[in-house]
Amino acid sequence: GAVTLRAKTAGDTLGIAVHPGEVADIDSTRAIVRIARDSASNWMWTSGRLAFDQTSLPAVLAALHRWYDVDFQLDDSTLATQYFTGAFDTAASLPQILDILGPLVHARFEQHGRVVVVTRRPGGR
C-alpha cells in the first residue's frame, strides 16, 4: 500500500505518495517534501541504538533532542555542513555521546540545563 503525505503551503496543497520502504519528511517551512529509501538506521532506536549514515549534524542533534529531551543551539552555521556516520548505544549518557561526537564533527558542546550550545571546536575546519 501507499499513503499520501500533504503539506499546506501558501494556500496550495503539496502531496506526494509514500510507498513501502520509503521515508518522507516535511521541512521546517512545511513546504518541501523529501523522499528517500528507508534505511535500517532509521529504526535502530527500537533496539537501543541510535544510528546515522552520512547524516547532517542538525539531523543528528534533532535525534539527540528527541531521545535526551534537550534543546540544541547551533551557534556556528558552518557546523550544519558537517556529517556523521556512526551509532550510539541509547544507554550511554548524553555527555558520553557528545564527547565522542564533538571531535568527529569539529564541534564543542556546552550544556546549560536543558540547552546545549554547539560551537566550532578550536582548530576545526
Side-chain angles (χ1 to χ4, degrees):
V3 297
T4 300
L5 182 63
R6 297 189 189 281
K8 291 190 177 208
T9 59
D12 295 328
T13 302
L14 175 65
I16 194 156
V18 181
H19 301 278
E22 294 178 329
V23 176
D25 186 23
I26 301 172
D27 77 0
S28 62
T29 68
R30 302 194 50 78
I32 299 172
V33 177
R34 292 171 284 173
I35 293 189
R37 294 300 300 169
D38 188 9
S39 164
S41 64
N42 291 333
W43 308 106
M44 287 189 74
W45 64 270
T46 62
S47 62
R49 297 195 45 85
L50 293 175
F52 306 97
D53 182 18
Q54 283 298 306
T55 305
S56 70
L57 181 57
V60 171
L61 298 179
L64 294 175
H65 160 75
R66 287 188 299 275
W67 193 260
Y68 291 96
D69 192 29
V70 295
D71 295 320
F72 289 90
Q73 178 183 324
L74 197 60
D75 274 3
D76 185 333
S77 63
T78 64
L79 287 171
T81 64
Q82 296 295 312
Y83 287 82
F84 174 72
T85 297
F88 300 108
D89 187 317
T90 56
S93 70
L94 180 61
Q96 290 171 317
I97 288 175
L98 298 180
D99 284 347
I100 294 167
L101 183 62
L104 299 173
V105 295
H106 311 290
R108 185 173 62 206
F109 301 95
E110 274 187 46
Q111 187 166 359
H112 305 281
R114 287 195 60 253
V115 176
V116 178
V117 178
V118 186
T119 57
R120 180 158 295 284
R121 183 179 283 272
R125 302 181 252 148

